[in-house]
Amino acid sequence: IVGHALQECLQEPVALAEGVLHAQASIGLALSPEHGETRGDLLCAADAAMYVAKRAGSSVALHSPAGEGRHRRRLEVAEDLFMALEREELVLAYQPIRTPADLGLVAAEALLRWNHPESGLVLPARFIPTLEETGQIVQVGDWVLRAACRQNRAWQDAGLAPMRVSVNVSTRQFQSETLLQSVQSALEESGLDPVWLELELTESQLLVDTEAAIEVLAQLNALGVAISIDDFGSGYSSLNYLKRLPIDCLKIDQGFVRDLGSSAKDGAIVEAIAAVARSLNLGLVAEGVETAGQARFLRRLYCTEMQGYFYSRPVAAEVLPEIIAALDAKIPA
Ligand code: C2E
Ligand code: MG
Ligand code: MG
């Protein structure tokens, strides 16, 4: 009861000179003597409960042994991840994105992988949430930007036709003050022309504080970097922000692409998104294209670029040039 009362108080908007601040609180509770007898033990127990509350989305949680176990495992993962950076176990895979016409490859997306000494190649869903929680994502995101720019420049230097490489930007990274600096140094260090770099953001990231987002996007835009909205249609989809934000491209959420052909509704939604992109003069990428049927449907729409297992899974940087060379054969009738 105390926890919820506190939370209500903290939810009251706070008036600041620059505007109104809406804060949310996650509260972890621990009881003495059940959860610890010293001040330190109690704080530790409350801290673990706070992470449980955070996971549940700004709630209140009482300490429990199960929650403690989960918290401890997450801390272990966080520790491991810290070492991963040191030991250079993080790698980028690249997935080609192609145009439906005969224009060849236009782009690739950089996707993070963790080459774990015991578990093998670990996918981002398993460790990005922890990186977000601990804040390590800012450092890792910085590494991803540098590595992707360096690789893209290396492909160009090796004589490959220049292509845009997109990099996913996490929420914490987008909100951190170092993003702009990080993008700038990645470009400078690699010598990559900014037109070949694209940043992927999600709708929810842009809606947290739209005014601040517009400012950051304008600065990135000024650098000459392209911006796309990832998983478009899966978030809050406020169409209002589309006309206000300086963005270049929409990436249709995989969920709509999956049932193309079998669900008339998904077909209609994809067509509507394509119409929005066309009228706002935005690029359009369909993600998760797995079959020739889906590719055929999308080909009929305005300038859809396509990405999915039908063309290629994400692959190691060394093999991407081969995959690109083989892509031209993959044009569905
Ligand atoms: P995303 O940015 O939407 O990336 C697309 C995901 O869909 C990738 O999963 C990709 O492997 C998968 N995919 C591509 N084609 C197909 C297909 O035809 N069918 C199916 N079922 N899936 C397909 P992945 O690599 O596991 O990444 C998952 C998510 O993790 C990404 O979603 C992105 O949100 C995040 N992520 C990946 N790399 C990074 C990174 O460097 N930084 C940050 N902040 N997030 C990242
Ligand atoms: Mg993405
Ligand atoms: Mg996506």
Side-chain angles (χ1 to χ4, degrees), residues 39-172:
R39 188 163 164 264
D41 286 353
L42 273 172
L43 270 176
C44 261
D47 193 46
M50 190 268 287
Y51 278 101
V52 174
K54 228 182 175 108
R55 287 236 138 179
S58 306
S59 63
V60 179
L62 183 63
H63 179 83
S64 78
E68 166 91 18
R70 273 197 300 277
H71 177 59
R72 197 163 286 149
R73 269 192 301 283
R74 261 202 311 282
L75 282 182
E76 279 163 16
V77 174
E79 188 100 335
D80 259 18
L81 275 164
F82 185 69
M83 299 300 288
L85 264 177
E86 302 261 294
R87 291 196 210 123
E88 301 183 7
E89 288 166 5
L90 296 181
V91 286
L92 290 181
Y94 293 87
Q95 187 176 33
I97 303 174
R98 65 155 304 147
T99 59
D102 309 335
L103 300 174
L105 179 89
V106 282
E109 177 172 5
L111 295 159
L112 189 58
R113 304 286 181 261
W114 180 8
N115 214 341
H116 194 280
E118 283 139 38
S119 325
L121 216 55
V122 185
L123 291 176
R126 291 266 309 280
F127 62 92
I128 285 195
T130 305
L131 287 176
E132 278 272 359
E133 221 164 74
T134 59
Q136 286 163 299
I137 191 72
V138 176
Q139 197 186 347
V140 170
D142 181 64
W143 176 84
V144 171
L145 273 165
R146 282 167 207 271
C149 289
R150 206 182 314 124
Q151 180 60 60
N152 198 9
R153 178 62 203 239
W155 279 321
Q156 293 184 5
D157 289 345
L160 216 66
M163 63 175 164
R164 207 175 67 223
V165 169
S166 60
V167 168
N168 294 283
V169 174
S170 83
T171 305
R172 279 257 193 139

